[in-house]
Amino acid sequence: MASGSEGRLIPHSDAEKRIFIAAFLLAGLMVLADQISKIYIEHAFELHESRPVISGWLAMTSVRNRGAAWSILSGHGWLLLLIGAAVIAAAIRFFRYLTEGWRERYFAVFLVLSGVIGNSIDRLWRGEVVDFIHVHYRDVWHYPVFNLADIAICTGVGLFILSCLLRKSQPEADSASANRE
């Protein structure tokens, strides 16, 4: 078996390659699903049109966001693209350090990357992010409208945090040697 004594993946092992490929493919499918859903919304909905999915709770609502979550940095798309590029570069550069050989962290990092890539494609291609998932409670409460890329980012971050809380960190010497490989 290509796992360390604690169940961690050994760098460059067949097991690590399989997990890497599976996480990469999941990320690719998420980017594809994200972009297909956005193309559908653009063609099937008028801007600000809303259609209930679960009456009083969930709707598909076509909106655009020129910023990040909750319209933070609205109108600063190039800055958000630069931040996205920095996140992608840092995740690639520090991949082994971030994952520490834990299988779920490969998926977590790739999910975050898929979301960043999905929303970055929007910023480059459309000039704004297409959002359409509208969670609300009747007309009393509305959560900001979001998309599949946002779900991927939040799921990846949540999975990563959960893994960090439940898994032991590598000793410094092991971590340093893993980064050199």
Side-chain angles (χ1 to χ4, degrees):
M1 178 161 202
S3 294
S5 61
E6 298 175 3
R8 289 187 172 127
L9 295 168
I10 296 170
H12 308 291
S13 67
D14 287 341
E16 185 199 42
K17 289 174 187 170
R18 283 191 300 275
I19 294 296
F20 185 92
I21 289 169
F24 181 82
L25 290 174
L26 175 64
L29 287 173
M30 284 302 297
V31 171
L32 188 62
D34 175 64
Q35 290 302 307
I36 289 171
S37 66
K38 291 171 179 175
I39 291 167
Y40 170 76
I41 293 298
E42 286 180 310
H43 289 88
F45 284 69
E46 295 293 323
L47 188 59
H48 303 295
E49 179 183 352
S50 186
R51 298 179 193 166
V53 176
I54 301 173
S55 185
W57 292 94
L58 179 66
M60 291 178 67
T61 303
S62 176
V63 298
R64 303 299 181 271
N65 185 354
R66 292 188 174 271
W70 296 283
S71 296
I72 297 169
L73 295 173
S74 186
H76 295 88
W78 286 105
L79 176 59
L80 292 168
L81 278 169
L82 288 174
I83 291 169
V87 166
I88 292 168
I92 291 168
R93 170 67 178 99
F94 298 108
F95 187 78
R96 288 205 190 283
Y97 175 79
L98 290 168
T99 61
E100 293 186 283
W102 297 115
R103 288 168 172 79
E104 68 276 2
R105 292 187 193 173
Y106 286 73
F107 290 96
V109 170
F110 273 109
L111 280 171
V112 170
L113 290 177
S114 73
V116 170
I117 290 167
N119 283 338
S120 294
I121 289 170
D122 280 17
R123 288 187 182 96
L124 284 169
W125 184 13
R126 299 173 175 96
E128 56 195 0
V129 175
V130 175
D131 288 326
F132 59 91
I133 301 170
H134 184 192
V135 177
H136 59 96
Y137 177 68
R138 304 188 192 283
D139 285 330
V140 176
W141 174 82
H142 295 267
Y143 191 79
V145 181
F146 55 98
N147 59 45
L148 295 181
D150 300 331
I151 292 172
I153 292 169
C154 292
T155 302
V157 168
L159 180 59
F160 189 85
I161 290 170
L162 187 61
S163 176
C164 289
L165 291 172
L166 298 176
R167 302 281 196 178
K168 291 189 280 185
S169 289
Q170 273 187 340
E172 288 298 318
D174 289 349
S175 180
S177 67
N179 275 335
R180 277 184 260 141
E181 292 181 11

